[in-house]
Amino acid sequence: MSFFKKMKSVAFVSVLALAAMLAACGNGGDTASSDKGGDTEGAAAGEKYTFKISHVTQESHIWHKTAEKFGEELKALSDGRMDVEIYPASQLGQEKDMVQQLETGSLDFGFLTNAYMSTRQDSLNAWFMPFVFNNLEEANELRSSDAAKQMLEELSSQSLVGMDFIFAGNRHVLLKSGTVESPADLAGKKIRIIGSPSMQSFWEKTGAGPTAMPLPEVYTSLQTGVIDGIDIDLDALVTEKYYENAENLTLTNHMTFPAVIVMGQPSYDKLSSEDQEIVKEAMQKAVDWGIQESIAREESNLQTLKDSGVNVVELTDSSAFDAISQEVRDEYSAKSDVIKSFLEAAAK
């Protein structure tokens, strides 16, 4: 080999070596690892994250406030490495769109209505078994039950990490005219419901005409008489101001209304095991806080409605609904052992 060829060869090798060194030095950036389980050196070194959270309610709703509280807890537990961006009121699309985004990793967390999620997973219909809970405190006690934990675990089949349940309140009935003492008072009335199989079944059995309808359409539909009333929790009733178009509220407590809090599996898998624990701890603290706020809001929201001139009555005897309630419970217990176990725990 000639002298000049030798020199060219040496120079070429030197360039390759320098390039390899620069690449190695540049490998310590801020991009989070996407390796399964997150046990990489980069993740363990303390990555920075800004998580995206989406839900369907207004910023004044307790679910949004809980998402904000989650952000506060994350910052504190991670020494400022973790933050959140919250997209309320379906800004990122309807819930089916949110689930797709969670599955692909373009969205990190979703506060998804149990109603929508019950169309994707049978066991979640357990929360909508009629006349199980007299108040929100009783519903919260079942949040830590084995059946509730199993519901969250089952979400893994959808590339979702089930984290917890957060409640908006128990469900009641708001009507343009009349109040509710028995199924006969609902016969023939068009009642807006959220599209859930068990909700649909219950309302059909009362003789009402259950009408599934997206949240943004409800106010105008009440105003124009397209519907006669709504199945609603007090927090949504106040924050969405539906009482402006219907002023007869019967406190029925016929169901409770949780959101299922999930994290997308791709987002979860990017985290180190230490950061996964931080996320879990922050979420539990936020949800514990949010549920106590929800319980407190039941009273304050009720007072707001009374002060606004709403005619409020309480269904003190639900025995007229017993046959319907038992029929729905039997129907769904036969479909799911989890629902059967949930109802057994609730009866204790």
Side-chain angles (χ1 to χ4, degrees):
M1 182 183 292
S2 70
F3 173 77
F4 291 107
K5 286 184 178 179
K6 287 182 179 179
M7 291 301 292
K8 286 181 180 180
S9 178
V10 170
F12 180 69
V13 172
S14 299
V15 170
L16 287 178
L18 179 60
M21 290 175 61
L22 290 173
C25 292
N27 204 28
D30 290 335
T31 303
S33 166
S34 59
D35 286 356
K36 185 86 171 176
D39 293 326
T40 65
E41 185 178 349
E47 296 286 350
K48 292 184 178 180
Y49 298 97
T50 299
F51 296 116
K52 292 169 67 176
I53 305 175
S54 185
H55 60 76
V56 300
T57 60
Q58 301 296 325
E59 292 183 28
S60 55
H61 194 275
I62 189 60
W63 294 352
H64 185 83
K65 299 301 180 185
T66 301
E68 290 180 328
K69 181 68 172 176
F70 172 56
E72 294 172 9
E73 295 292 345
L74 267 183
K75 275 187 178 180
L77 292 171
S78 68
D79 295 325
R81 288 190 299 108
M82 298 181 184
D83 202 355
V84 300
E85 292 177 353
I86 307 172
Y87 297 85
S90 303
Q91 288 180 13
L92 299 184
Q94 297 302 313
E95 290 184 298
K96 64 178 181 179
D97 303 312
M98 295 180 202
V99 172
Q100 290 176 349
Q101 294 162 22
L102 287 159
E103 290 172 340
T104 62
S106 59
L107 178 64
D108 301 303
F109 292 91
F111 284 48
L112 303 170
T113 64
N114 191 74
Y116 172 70
M117 293 304 294
S118 69
T119 67
R120 300 173 62 99
Q121 181 175 301
D122 283 342
S123 63
L124 291 169
N125 283 290
W127 290 107
F128 297 146
M129 294 298 95
F131 293 100
V132 172
F133 305 114
N134 293 312
N135 50 55
L136 206 53
E137 290 92 336
E138 291 183 7
N140 183 45
E141 288 179 10
L142 267 290
R143 172 179 153 230
S144 58
S145 66
D146 289 340
K149 291 174 183 176
Q150 190 169 343
M151 294 174 211
L152 295 175
E153 290 172 3
E154 288 180 1
L155 290 166
S156 62
S157 65
Q158 303 182 53
S159 295
L160 301 173
V161 179
M163 305 207 75
D164 214 328
F165 296 98
I166 178 71
F167 299 94
N170 276 3
R171 305 295 282 186
H172 309 288
V173 182
L174 181 76
L175 296 173
K176 291 179 71 71
S177 64
T179 56
V180 180
E181 293 183 2
S182 72
D185 298 318
L186 297 165
K189 291 185 182 292
K190 288 185 179 179
I191 304 295
R192 182 267 176 178
I193 67 167
I194 296 176
S196 165
S198 49
M199 279 190 173
Q200 184 81 22
S201 178
F202 169 76
W203 280 103
E204 286 176 350
K205 293 179 192 311
T206 68
T211 305
M213 182 181 296
L215 205 62
E217 298 177 19
V218 176
Y219 186 93
T220 303
S221 296
L222 267 178
Q223 189 177 49
T224 58
V226 171
I227 53 177
D228 301 306
I230 54 178
D231 171 330
I232 195 72
D233 62 86
L234 298 184
D235 208 36
L237 178 53
V238 170
T239 58
E240 301 289 345
K241 300 184 184 299
Y242 297 135
Y243 58 85
E244 294 178 347
N245 296 319
E247 58 182 25
N248 296 289
L249 175 66
T250 304
L251 300 175
T252 55
N253 285 298
H254 58 277
M255 292 176 188
T256 196
F257 194 68
V260 188
I261 303 177
V262 299
M263 187 175 189
Q265 192 74 54
S267 299
Y268 184 80
D269 287 344
K270 288 180 181 179
L271 303 179
S272 68
S273 56
E274 292 85 354
D275 283 350
Q276 288 172 354
E277 290 305 312
I278 288 175
V279 167
K280 291 176 184 177
E281 183 179 352
M283 186 63 77
Q284 182 175 348
K285 287 185 174 183
V287 173
D288 287 344
W289 173 88
I291 288 174
Q292 293 308 310
E293 284 293 302
S294 292
I295 292 170
R297 280 190 178 207
E298 289 283 271
E299 290 299 322
S300 62
N301 283 328
L302 186 57
Q303 190 59 50
T304 296
L305 293 167
K306 290 178 178 178
D307 293 344
S308 299
V310 176
N311 174 35
V312 179
V313 298
E314 185 176 357
L315 178 66
T316 56
D317 181 6
S318 63
S319 60
F321 290 89
D322 284 353
I324 292 172
S325 298
Q326 193 60 52
E327 190 175 348
V328 175
R329 293 179 197 176
D330 290 345
E331 175 187 352
Y332 279 87
S333 292
K335 290 182 179 182
S336 168
D337 288 339
V338 177
I339 295 177
K340 182 179 180 181
S341 173
F342 185 84
L343 289 171
E344 289 172 351
K348 291 179 180 178

